[in-house]
Structure formats: C-alpha cells, structure tokens
Amino acid sequence: MNWGTKIVLGMIAFMMFIVGMVVYMFHVHGRDALIEENYYEKGINYNSEYNAKVNVIDDNASPKITITKTQIIIQVKDSAKYDLVLMRPANSNDDVKLKGQTSGTANLILVDKTKMPKGMWFLNLKWHSSGKDYLFKNNITL
C-alpha cells in the first residue's frame, strides 16, 4: 500500500465520520427539549402571562408543592381548572401534561411520579380560579 492509497482511505474514513455525526445530530434533534415550540406567538401574548404571574403574587396564591416517594402533590388556594406541564430538560419524550379540576376540599393536584425519571424538571402550572388566571413556574428535583 503506497502513501496515495493511505491518503484516500484516510479521507474516506474522515468523510464517513462526518456523515455519521450529521445523521446522529439529526436523530438527537428530534428529541431535544425545546422550551417553547411557538416561541414568537408566546412573545406577542406575554402580557397575559405576566398578568397571571402578578395575580399569584398579589393574591398570595403560590401553590404548595410536596414531593413524596410516589406522588407530587400540589395544593392551590381555591378550587380551579388547571393545566400542568412538567418538562424534562434532558429528554422531551418524558414530559408530563395534565389538565383537569382540583380534587377534594384541599384543592389538590396529584401527579404519579413512579414512572418519571429522577432529575430536574420544569414545573409550569396555569390555573383559573375565581375569574382570574394564575401562572406559577418553578424547578423541582425528583
């Protein structure tokens, strides 16, 4: 084998490495955890989100979050309809989205965490109660 053949084989190996990396990056990109899909629409409607955050502060309505071995228990101030999103930064396939009505007289939201991987999660809770919208965002660690 002469030096010309070695250079050509080296170039082919390098090109195959680059093509392999491109294929891998496109495969991973399908599972990446984008925070918002429609980022620009969210920016245009930011005033309603800001007002919902201010309502939480003004009405002293921050939810109480308790994490047990099997559940995440979120208690809000009054009975409400809610949208809960738990986003996993490491893998968007693990995200949990729940909608519903608070349960019981204690106004609880119960989330089963037995199938949720350990690590950091973004908690995004929107709820409507007493004619007002509320928004609470927080990071939790399971």
Side-chain angles (χ1 to χ4, degrees):
M1 194 183 297
N2 63 14
W3 61 271
T5 307
K6 291 178 185 176
I7 288 175
V8 170
L9 289 176
M11 286 177 30
I12 290 172
F14 180 71
M15 285 190 269
M16 290 181 66
F17 171 74
I18 295 298
V19 169
M21 289 300 295
V22 168
V23 168
Y24 174 74
M25 292 307 290
F26 276 112
H27 175 69
V28 169
H29 177 69
R31 297 182 322 218
D32 66 350
L34 293 174
I35 299 299
E36 297 292 340
E37 283 293 328
N38 46 359
Y39 178 77
Y40 294 109
E41 284 182 33
K42 294 280 186 176
I44 291 171
N45 299 324
Y46 184 72
N47 281 343
S48 62
E49 184 176 317
Y50 176 77
N51 291 337
K53 287 180 182 179
V54 169
N55 285 341
V56 171
I57 296 168
D58 289 346
D59 295 346
N60 195 20
S62 292
K64 180 182 174 189
I65 301 169
T66 307
I67 300 173
T68 65
K69 287 184 178 184
T70 59
Q71 287 183 328
I72 301 171
I73 303 167
I74 303 170
Q75 182 178 14
V76 294
K77 190 174 180 180
D78 295 320
S79 178
K81 287 187 174 184
Y82 67 87
D83 291 329
L84 174 65
V85 179
L86 290 163
M87 292 186 289
R88 178 107 166 112
N91 189 352
S92 62
N93 293 335
D94 294 334
D95 291 356
V96 176
K97 297 178 182 179
L98 300 171
K99 289 184 178 187
Q101 182 80 23
T102 55
S103 60
T105 57
N107 305 315
L108 300 177
I109 300 169
L110 303 173
V111 180
D112 180 25
K113 74 167 205 159
T114 56
K115 296 180 182 176
M116 296 170 66
K118 293 184 179 185
M120 189 177 86
W121 290 78
F122 298 137
L123 181 136
N124 187 352
L125 176 63
K126 297 177 189 177
W127 73 98
H128 184 80
S129 176
S130 305
K132 289 185 178 180
D133 291 324
Y134 296 93
L135 175 63
F136 179 78
K137 293 184 177 184
N138 198 6
N139 297 339
I140 61 172
T141 304
L142 301 182

